[in-house]
Amino acid sequence: LLFSHSQKEEKIRDKDLFDFTTDEILNVLRAMYSTSLASLETFLYTMITYIDWSIANGVTKGSNNLARLIKTNDLLSCIDSSLKLYITKNELEKMCE
């Protein structure tokens, strides 16, 4: 899921995720439409691991993993609070009608 979202951004920017700026990484995280900090932290950890791998294997020209600069406050700004996690029984019944 994460890499399908990042792939769209990679095509737009004509570069791989490991060469993204911090803002570009945050854009990918926003596109995940996540409703929890824990899920965003998981996505970010996955990105960090991928970028670390690319640096260690010489796939990227860079030597700094910019995803490591992203802090909790940055992630909090990526949470989509407009999405509902739960619905009431009445809402469910109206949907089913």
Side-chain angles (χ1 to χ4, degrees), residues 25-44:
I25 292 168
L26 287 170
N27 283 338
V28 172
L29 292 172
R30 282 186 199 94
M32 299 303 297
Y33 299 106
S34 187
T35 57
S36 75
L37 179 60
S39 64
L40 285 171
E41 288 172 332
T42 301
F43 293 139
L44 179 60

Side-chain angles (χ1 to χ4, degrees), residues 74-85:
D74 300 319
L75 292 178
L76 288 172
S77 73
C78 297
I79 292 176
D80 190 342
S81 58
S82 69
L83 298 175
K84 290 180 78 170
L85 292 177

Side-chain angles (χ1 to χ4, degrees), residues 39-86:
S39 64
L40 285 171
E41 288 172 332
T42 301
F43 293 139
L44 179 60
Y45 177 76
T46 303
M47 290 175 149
I48 288 170
T49 303
Y50 172 70
I51 296 168
D52 282 344
W53 175 88
S54 351
I55 291 168
N57 289 282
V59 178
T60 179
K61 302 172 208 99
S63 60
N64 294 325
N65 187 338
L66 298 181
R68 290 188 176 280
L69 300 176
I70 295 173
K71 304 296 180 207
T72 302
N73 283 343
D74 300 319
L75 292 178
L76 288 172
S77 73
C78 297
I79 292 176
D80 190 342
S81 58
S82 69
L83 298 175
K84 290 180 78 170
L85 292 177
Y86 306 102

Side-chain angles (χ1 to χ4, degrees), residues 84-96:
K84 290 180 78 170
L85 292 177
Y86 306 102
I87 61 172
T88 65
K89 181 180 176 185
N90 289 339
E91 289 172 323
L92 177 61
E93 289 171 349
K94 285 180 183 179
M95 284 181 192
C96 293

